Amino acid sequence: METRSLRGKFLDFCMQCLSLNSPTARLVVFGIGIAVLTFVDIRALGLPNLCIWERLFGYCPVNGVTRGLSAFFHGEWRSALSYNVSIAGLIPIIIGLVVADVWRVANTLFRMEHGTALLSPLLGWRKRFTFR
């Protein structure tokens, strides 16, 4: 049986993160994105508007979302809404996805260590779950 090298495992994980097909990959990507939007003030960089939709049609429904998220993570909620109103619906979706993925990863780690689902001992379930 051949073992994969550390480089091969790292490249596989990077491809998994790019495809967002697992909770761990989504947590890594969301974590990096939230960290960048929190620590770098995108609005102060003065980046040009590269939106193709706005250039073609004169209007883009998601124009200002990145600046709005940056303002939100800097604590400027009114400013975030002024960039794009869809931030009010996007923030709960992001929070829900992060919480759901944290729950899945925690449940998987707990199941690997204890052989049962995370809430099973609390609810009195004795059945051990097997997942393939």
Side-chain angles (χ1 to χ4, degrees), residues 25-47:
R26 283 189 299 271
L27 283 176
V28 168
V29 171
F30 277 140
I32 291 170
I34 290 171
V36 166
L37 290 174
T38 300
F39 296 117
V40 177
D41 192 4
I42 302 290
R43 301 162 297 154
L45 293 178
L47 298 173

Side-chain angles (χ1 to χ4, degrees), residues 120-131:
S120 296
L122 298 175
L123 298 175
W125 295 339
R126 299 287 180 215
K127 180 180 178 185
R128 292 191 179 252
F129 297 99
T130 57
F131 295 94

Side-chain angles (χ1 to χ4, degrees), residues 34-105:
I34 290 171
V36 166
L37 290 174
T38 300
F39 296 117
V40 177
D41 192 4
I42 302 290
R43 301 162 297 154
L45 293 178
L47 298 173
N49 186 3
L50 301 175
C51 182
I52 262 186
W53 290 102
E54 189 169 354
R55 291 178 189 239
L56 290 176
F57 303 113
Y59 172 73
C60 178
V62 293
N63 194 10
V65 169
T66 305
R67 289 174 290 169
L69 285 173
S70 179
F72 177 83
F73 289 122
H74 281 94
E76 301 170 7
W77 300 295
R78 286 186 183 171
S79 176
L81 290 174
S82 72
Y83 285 114
N84 195 325
V85 181
S86 66
I87 296 293
L90 191 59
I91 294 297
I93 291 171
I94 291 173
I95 291 171
L97 286 172
V98 168
V99 167
D101 286 341
V102 166
W103 175 259
R104 285 186 190 114
V105 169

